[in-house]
Amino acid sequence: MSARYDAIVVGGGHNGLVAAAYLARSGARTLVLEARGKTGGAATTEAPWPDAPDFRVTRLSYVMSLMPPTIINDLDLARHGYKIYPMGPYYQAFPEGGSIKLYADDAKRNHEEVARWSVKDADAMPRWDAWLAGLAEVLGPLLLTVPPKLGSRSPRDLSETLRLAWRHRGLDVRTIADVTRLMTMSIADLLDDWFESPQVKGALAVNGVIGTWAGPYEPGTAYVMAHHSIGDVGDGHLGNWGFQEGGMGAVADAIARAARGFGVEIRTGAPVAKVVTSGGRATGVVLESGEEIGAGVVVSSLHPRTAFLDHVGAENLPGDFVTDIEHWKTRSGVVKINLALAELPDFTADPGTDLQEHHTGSVEMAPTMEYIERAFTDAREGRPAQRPFSDGVIPTAFDKTLVPEGYHIMSLFTQWVPADWNLEPHRAELEAYADRMIDCYGELAPNLKSAIVHRDIVGPYDMEHDYGLIGGNIFHGELSLEQLFHMRPAPGFADYRTPIAGLYYASSATHAGGGVCGIPGMQAAKAAIADKKAAKGRRRLRRS
Ligand SMILES: Cc1cc2nc3c(=O)[nH]c(=O)nc-3n(C[C@H](O)[C@H](O)[C@H](O)COP(=O)(O)OP(=O)(O)OC[C@H]3O[C@@H](n4cnc5c(N)ncnc54)[C@H](O)[C@@H]3O)c2cc1C
């Protein structure tokens, strides 16, 4: 063994970095091992065009919302470069003319905007916002709750379950019914209960299908909407999203700086091949180079198939757990299209290439529920969407650090291509898909096509092979109901521990993941620290 640490973190994505920072803060000598040449994982800022190195894009994830102030403050991230510009409104222009803007926290302007399409919907909007806010009050704290082992009869697990039930003793029949609806309904059915206008419903459906292998009529998509609506960017404004200055890679860089400040050592270009176990306990890792490094604690932040089936090995894990991980659903059909623009899109509905409010938020391609559903149906039937759905943003509306003066980045988070496009690059088809996506926006902003100076297309194959996002799923696993809370990543192991003693799990495939929230990293580190303390206590007791 070449070296020995107190703790090794496998994977230098933002969760791995958060875990390492908390472990080092507790006094553990900690090493992060990252396969790629840089840290950040799916929170990455890159210069994808070799002939234009001064154009940088936030290549995969693109907006912040879900990271709790606890982590931001504990790691003092603002001091290390965490700086968020709150986003402007959701914006959708319509091919038939007109547009709608929806604001995260401006009821008066929302009423004006929605009333242009339906007065009834405009009147319903404040009730909808209040309804969501009420649910966020229940669901928000749950994101920071370690899921109990439901069904376990051990006194400790039973008391955790009871404690959770007690914490929610104030919930009334109606709130529980609302949570049930949110967890089980489709976003389309839910919005039908509230609104009548197709334009309003299309705009509100966006968050229900982001990163999801499901169309808006699939049960469970209402929860996906909630998952994306309950965050705040640390300023207490519910549902607000924001752009990190320098792109999402700068979030990971801020965490890495904080981690190094606590003494963490970070090695890039160091792919791990195996977690070493002995007698059911993790004792270290072996790199692909053959180098072996020992540690009493190993935290993996990789996709569950890599972390468990490849690195630990099915032969070292309980059969039920192996089956659960083999059955883990990890599709998305997402394609990220990053554009460098010589000028801002000039929307027919809101003309002008000068910077205006509608450029500052998300520039959607989700005109109606039927449009979104059609895009999913194409992909489910094995074809890339003819007219793809997109959640677009123009971070350079605020952030001038990404491009040379006068240029912009437009980042399109698009869906869907077939679920098995992780298996082959499908380059030519992705180019054609991107052309169609740009044409759809071109119908609303005719200058877009000619404004493009560079484009970068990242499909499911790239996400799997370059970033370790198996199946191309953006969250290391779908946010479907059977993969949430006490089921994430497997029943009995949602407490950031694993069947292997000393091996902890910090990926987006645990509760509160995905998203760039850092909660899995924090919780896995806390579990390891708590276990170490408990073991110390037991040793002391035995000695006395
Ligand atoms: C296209 C896209 C858009 C998204 N948009 C958003 C968004 O706007 N906002 C948001 O909050 N979330 C978004 N997400 C989701 C979010 O980015 C992820 O949930 C999150 O970044 C995952 O973080 P992680 O640390 O758990 O895993 P990862 O970021 O996947 O990190 C895992 C790390 O492990 C490394 N690794 C893999 N194999 C090995 C190995 N064998 N040895 C060592 N290291 C290894 C990888 O290189 C990677 O760096 C998006 C994701 C994608 C793909």
Side-chain angles (χ1 to χ4, degrees):
M1 238 178 234
S2 73
R4 200 173 164 80
Y5 289 80
D6 296 328
I8 290 173
V9 177
V10 182
H14 85 285
N15 271 319
L17 295 170
V18 167
Y22 274 95
L23 284 163
R25 198 176 77 137
S26 79
R29 194 169 159 249
T30 304
L31 171 69
V32 174
L33 294 167
E34 165 57 43
R36 300 185 73 226
K38 68 195 286 289
T39 50
T44 181
T45 306
E46 297 176 22
W49 302 293
D51 52 337
D54 43 355
F55 283 81
R56 297 184 308 136
V57 300
T58 181
R59 202 157 185 242
L60 297 174
S61 59
Y62 49 110
V63 279
M64 285 301 290
S65 154
L66 299 162
M67 189 174 282
T70 318
I71 294 179
I72 297 167
N73 296 334
D74 282 354
L75 304 187
D76 202 3
L77 293 185
R79 189 165 65 85
H80 295 290
Y82 183 78
K83 178 179 175 189
I84 302 290
Y85 299 101
M87 278 173 76
Y90 281 78
Y91 174 70
Q92 175 71 58
F94 298 102
E96 64 278 14
S99 66
I100 187 167
K101 293 192 208 83
L102 290 178
Y103 299 82
D105 52 8
D106 191 332
K108 188 170 169 293
R109 292 174 86 186
N110 275 346
H111 193 276
E112 285 160 19
E113 285 287 330
V114 175
R116 300 208 321 243
W117 300 97
S118 159
V119 173
K120 188 166 165 257
D121 286 357
D123 292 342
M125 207 68 190
R127 291 197 301 278
W128 165 258
D129 284 341
W131 187 76
L132 270 187
L135 287 172
E137 263 173 39
V138 180
L139 295 175
L142 276 183
L143 283 182
L144 284 166
T145 300
V146 176
K149 279 190 189 156
L150 293 184
S152 163
R153 298 204 180 119
S154 94
R156 190 173 148 215
D157 295 335
L158 276 171
S159 89
E160 288 299 322
T161 306
L162 286 174
R163 192 181 309 175
L164 183 66
W166 180 250
R167 250 178 50 201
H168 291 92
R169 67 193 179 283
L171 295 186
D172 60 13
V173 170
R174 286 229 58 93
T175 312
I176 288 178
D178 285 342
V179 171
T180 308
R181 287 193 182 99
L182 195 74
M183 301 306 284
T184 55
M185 286 179 81
S186 73
I187 185 64
D189 282 346
L190 181 66
L191 291 172
D192 279 346
D193 286 348
W194 284 85
F195 302 104
E196 62 178 14
S197 144
Q199 291 84 358
V200 174
K201 286 191 272 189
L204 291 176
V206 169
N207 277 343
V209 295
I210 289 282
T212 301
W213 182 249
Y217 291 92
E218 304 274 332
T221 45
Y223 171 74
V224 178
M225 178 275 299
H227 185 85
H228 289 103
S229 305
I230 54 184
D232 68 56
V233 292
D235 59 0
H237 292 277
L238 195 74
N240 261 13
W241 288 78
F243 299 113
Q244 161 71 34
E245 184 173 87
M248 297 293 278
V251 176
D253 290 347
I255 303 169
R257 262 182 232 118
R260 285 197 177 95
F262 290 121
V264 171
E265 201 180 310
I266 299 174
R267 276 177 65 182
T268 54
V272 168
K274 196 170 156 16
V275 171
V276 184
T277 62
S278 171
R281 164 165 280 282
T283 57
V285 301
V286 181
L287 302 192
E288 277 180 13
S289 63
E291 183 185 353
E292 201 168 328
I293 308 175
V297 165
V298 178
V299 178
S300 182
S301 61
L302 273 45
H303 188 284
R305 291 212 187 131
T306 317
F308 298 112
L309 304 184
D310 297 347
H311 284 181
V312 178
E315 67 282 8
N316 297 313
L317 292 162
D320 284 352
F321 181 81
V322 169
T323 306
D324 289 335
I325 300 300
E326 284 171 345
H327 290 173
W328 183 248
K329 300 285 181 284
T330 185
R331 304 154 295 185
S332 255
V334 167
V335 178
K336 186 79 192 303
I337 302 173
N338 301 303
L339 306 174
L341 303 179
E343 63 181 3
L344 285 168
D346 181 0
F347 288 93
T348 311
D350 299 275
T353 56
D354 52 320
L355 180 63
Q356 297 172 65
E357 195 182 28
H358 61 271
H359 295 120
T360 64
S362 42
V363 183
E364 310 294 7
M365 183 53 65
T368 61
M369 201 70 75
E370 290 68 33
Y371 179 102
I372 306 172
E373 176 67 7
R374 183 72 252 159
F376 178 63
T377 307
D378 282 350
R380 190 161 49 187
E381 289 173 354
R383 303 177 301 275
Q386 187 59 31
R387 293 178 65 81
F389 154 88
S390 165
D391 184 39
V393 292
I394 307 175
T396 46
F398 300 98
D399 183 359
K400 306 298 175 201
T401 68
L402 295 172
V403 281
E405 174 79 35
Y407 289 89
H408 283 280
I409 295 296
M410 186 168 184
S411 147
L412 307 179
F413 179 94
T414 78
Q415 293 170 174
W416 285 259
V417 295
D420 63 359
W421 276 28
N422 61 313
L423 302 176
E424 299 286 338
H426 291 277
R427 295 274 170 243
E429 289 150 293
L430 280 175
E431 291 290 338
Y433 170 92
D435 286 341
R436 292 198 299 279
M437 182 78 262
I438 291 162
D439 285 343
C440 289
Y441 273 107
E443 290 169 16
L444 311 177
N447 73 329
L448 181 72
K449 206 169 175 173
S450 60
I452 298 169
V453 288
H454 302 286
R455 72 181 203 180
D456 167 50
I457 306 168
V458 193
Y461 181 90
D462 309 303
M463 291 185 202
E464 175 163 326
H465 290 84
D466 297 348
Y467 295 92
L469 300 168
I470 308 299
N473 184 275
I474 72 165
F475 295 139
H476 289 191
E478 296 169 34
L479 287 181
S480 46
L481 288 183
E482 82 285 7
Q483 299 195 161
L484 293 179
F485 202 54
H486 66 293
M487 305 290 282
R488 194 169 182 86
F493 297 98
D495 62 352
Y496 309 91
R497 293 175 177 87
T498 73
I500 304 291
L503 175 63
Y504 299 85
Y505 193 44
S507 109
S508 286
T510 60
H511 172 59
V516 182
C517 65
I519 299 171
M522 177 186 73
Q523 298 286 34
K526 282 188 173 173
I529 294 162
D531 288 355
K532 193 171 166 217
K533 227 183 241 167
K536 226 184 209 170
R538 280 195 301 274
R539 277 199 302 274
R540 207 174 297 133
L541 212 64
R542 272 201 300 272
R543 276 202 304 269
S544 62

